[in-house]
Amino acid sequence: MVTDVVVVGGGPVGMLLAAELRLNGVDVVVLEKLSAPSGHSRAFRLQPRTLEILDSRGLLDRFADGRTTWPSAHFAGLRPLLELGALDSAHPHSLLIPQARTEALLEEHAVVLGADVRRGHEVVGLRQNAGPGEDPDRGSVTVRFAGPNGEAEIEASHVVGCDGGRSTIRGLAGIPFPGIGGSVSALLGDVVLADRAALPSGVPGTLRTPQGLLMAVKLEEGVTRILTTEFGRDPGARDAPVTLAELTGAVRRVTGAEVELRDPRWLSRFSDATCLAGQYRAGRVLLAGDAAHVHFPIGAQGLNLGLQDAMNLGWKLADTVRGRAPGGLLDTYGAERRPVAERVLRETRAQLALMNPDERIDPLREMFSELLALDPVNAHLAGLTAGLDVRYAAPDTGTEDPAGAHALVGGRVPELSFTTAAGPVRVAELLRAGRPVLVDAADGGAADVSAAWAGRVDVVRAAPPGANGCAALLVRPDGYVAWAAGPGAFEAPARPGLRAALTQWFGAPGD
């Protein structure tokens, strides 16, 4: 069998990546070892940046239907809460949605676009193949898998491991996964409480005691999620099954209360092990999501980080497969996303350190609460946890173009609305096709420059003055600003900078 790209792992990250590849006309096969979705949800929240992503693909209404939004978030369980509502976003809130539902909706999206999803197929081998004459541009990768009909192979241009923290693809590709081991023991159970009144005061919610942490939250009528975290306790083997008695014992140790748990729907264990892949690419093998980074789960940041990986990678890999990517484009994936993961890993470790029950941490928590009451600090941490603070380095265009230093370049495109012949339109709506967009509110000057990229960049003419003082705006398919021109007409000095940005991200003119 032959395809363009093999995505290994059918979770939310793999499904979103498959959909992004299909939007760009790339054939993709998704290999998922589970024969059916597990139905279990570790994460229950989509952050503002992820909501912006879904909006840019016309998916947000589907996800938000019947769901609750939350305008706040916690940092290490402290008060005051982080005020997401004060952030500069069209969606300044979290969406409370089970991970299983997110996965199902993204799989549906990928399949409608033509992704070939094959469940019950487990990868057992991988080899990278040099092209004729050792030509790196004509090589391939072969994946061997075990499926319902035995073992078989599939050849592709590239393989992406979206197969979780114990990634088979990462191991087969020989990509190192350095980090720190676990020092806390965390148990999770979706259970029935015989008597909710037996829970200590402060629960539901998160309770911090001298013995550890207890979180309890109602999932649905009669079912409660219980999560215990014990510091300094051996987390044990991750694959070791969790028993109801073990979870009950952890609740007793943390709270001192006897709480009867029944009818477990799901029991799991994890720790605060924190690891980051040494590189996100090894030849024709790439990593995304938990295959590239793992950390203690706080605020569903792992899920959201992975979905944002997929958005960054999708269009770059598609252009590479189709042979129209400029040199080095695929390497910008790791260069951009790995520092973001480093930042998230540091932040989750900081939160867990602040949640340590040791009384010597109490003064630090008190000081942090005072800091959270300061608007700039609250906004800074809210933007960090919401995924809205990401800014990629602006490329050196090698020109004197003043637009190259525009404040928007490198950041996510804000909520802008332009006036076109068809009426007002939001930038998010212009990104629905997953293609780069050039908005020209400068009397056609920018559109004229981009004519050599016709067929690769969508051009939208808008009436001047442009939104937020933008005379012209070049937006990448993942919603980040590649180039912008400031107020006023599109003058000649800006033209070389626009050409350089178009070439930097979307290839030489006329290719």
Side-chain angles (χ1 to χ4, degrees):
M1 293 182 288
V2 178
T3 191
D4 290 331
V5 175
V6 172
V7 173
V8 180
V13 175
M15 292 302 181
L16 179 58
L17 177 59
E20 287 297 295
L21 292 167
R22 288 300 305 142
L23 268 181
N24 285 275
V26 170
D27 290 336
V28 57
V29 172
V30 179
L31 300 179
E32 167 54 52
K33 68 179 181 180
L34 295 180
S35 58
S38 70
H40 301 310
S41 298
R42 190 178 296 276
F44 276 83
R45 184 182 308 164
L46 295 180
Q47 298 166 343
R49 179 57 193 148
T50 301
L51 301 185
E52 292 178 349
I53 285 172
L54 296 174
D55 187 7
S56 73
R57 296 299 186 259
L59 298 172
L60 185 56
D61 288 348
R62 204 178 310 173
F63 278 74
D65 185 26
R67 298 292 168 184
T68 300
T69 59
W70 193 33
S72 304
H74 78 83
F75 190 87
L78 295 168
R79 298 284 177 147
L81 296 173
L82 301 177
E83 295 302 325
L84 302 179
L87 296 174
D88 180 18
S89 173
H91 312 287
H93 49 253
S94 295
L95 181 68
L96 305 185
I97 179 172
Q99 181 174 330
R101 180 61 178 161
T102 295
E103 179 181 320
L105 288 171
L106 289 175
E107 179 174 4
E108 177 184 295
H109 176 52
V111 170
V112 166
L113 290 173
D116 182 357
V117 178
R118 304 186 182 193
R119 292 191 172 273
H121 289 67
E122 182 174 7
V123 171
V124 296
L126 179 150
R127 68 176 182 274
Q128 299 202 50
N129 313 307
E134 300 298 317
D135 182 353
D137 294 329
R138 299 178 63 187
S140 66
V141 60
T142 300
V143 176
R144 188 161 188 82
F145 60 88
N149 299 316
E151 291 195 2
E153 291 185 341
I154 184 168
E155 185 176 2
S157 172
H158 292 78
V159 171
V160 185
C162 301
D163 50 343
R166 290 175 284 181
S167 170
T168 297
I169 292 299
R170 188 184 64 236
L172 291 172
I175 297 175
F177 201 48
I180 60 171
S183 62
V184 306
S185 172
L187 300 179
L188 179 153
D190 296 340
V191 299
V192 174
L193 296 178
D195 179 9
R196 289 184 64 86
L199 289 173
S201 175
V203 181
T206 300
L207 177 67
R208 178 173 174 263
T209 78
Q211 286 70 45
L213 306 171
L214 171 69
M215 184 197 80
V217 60
K218 180 180 177 181
L219 295 184
E220 58 184 76
E221 192 59 41
V223 179
T224 299
R225 168 157 293 185
I226 299 289
L227 192 156
T228 63
T229 305
E230 298 178 86
F231 290 71
R233 187 179 183 87
D234 183 0
R238 183 173 176 179
D239 292 329
V242 180
T243 66
L244 193 61
E246 187 179 8
L247 179 61
T248 301
V251 173
R252 183 189 309 114
R253 287 191 298 272
V254 170
T255 68
E258 292 291 342
V259 180
E260 184 180 351
L261 312 178
R262 298 175 178 169
D263 305 324
R265 295 191 175 185
W266 184 38
L267 297 169
S268 179
R269 75 173 73 242
F270 55 94
S271 75
D272 60 333
T274 301
C275 302
L276 179 62
Q279 68 257 22
Y280 278 28
R281 178 187 179 192
R284 292 178 174 269
V285 179
L286 299 108
L287 304 176
D290 287 354
H293 41 71
V294 296
H295 56 82
F296 190 78
I298 296 177
Q301 291 187 76
L303 170 62
N304 288 269
L305 182 63
L307 293 173
Q308 292 155 35
D309 287 347
M311 284 294 289
N312 186 290
L313 175 59
W315 66 277
K316 296 175 180 178
L317 181 54
D319 278 4
T320 300
V321 169
R322 296 177 69 181
R324 63 187 189 186
L329 179 66
L330 199 53
D331 289 328
T332 68
Y333 164 60
E336 290 184 338
R337 294 305 299 170
R338 195 172 185 278
V340 177
E342 287 179 330
R343 189 167 169 81
V344 171
L345 266 57
R346 183 183 66 179
E347 174 249 311
T348 53
R349 289 181 65 192
Q351 288 201 57
L352 188 61
L354 283 166
M355 298 171 81
N356 191 306
D358 190 321
E359 64 181 8
R360 290 171 292 185
I361 301 297
D362 293 348
L364 186 59
R365 288 176 61 85
E366 292 166 5
M367 290 191 67
F368 248 85
S369 289
E370 292 179 5
L371 291 172
L372 287 170
L374 302 176
D375 289 344
V377 175
N378 195 290
H380 173 78
L381 293 176
L384 174 60
T385 60
L388 298 179
D389 70 331
V390 174
R391 176 171 290 275
Y392 302 135
D396 182 3
T397 63
T399 73
E400 297 301 321
D401 175 17
H406 195 284
L408 292 180
V409 175
R412 39 174 272 281
V413 65
E415 175 67 3
L416 300 178
S417 181
F418 292 88
T419 300
T420 69
V425 61
R426 297 186 302 123
V427 173
E429 296 168 337
L430 300 176
L431 293 169
R432 297 285 160 83
R435 291 163 52 83
V437 174
L438 175 66
V439 181
D440 183 354
D443 299 322
D448 292 344
V449 171
S450 69
W453 285 265
R456 281 179 284 160
V457 177
D458 293 339
V459 177
V460 177
R461 291 180 183 253
N468 277 33
C470 283
L473 184 71
L474 179 63
V475 185
R476 303 182 341 182
D478 57 351
Y480 285 82
V481 178
W483 176 91
F490 183 74
E491 303 292 348
R495 295 172 184 265
L498 175 55
R499 292 191 188 97
L502 287 164
T503 303
Q504 164 89 22
W505 295 112
F506 312 118
D511 284 358

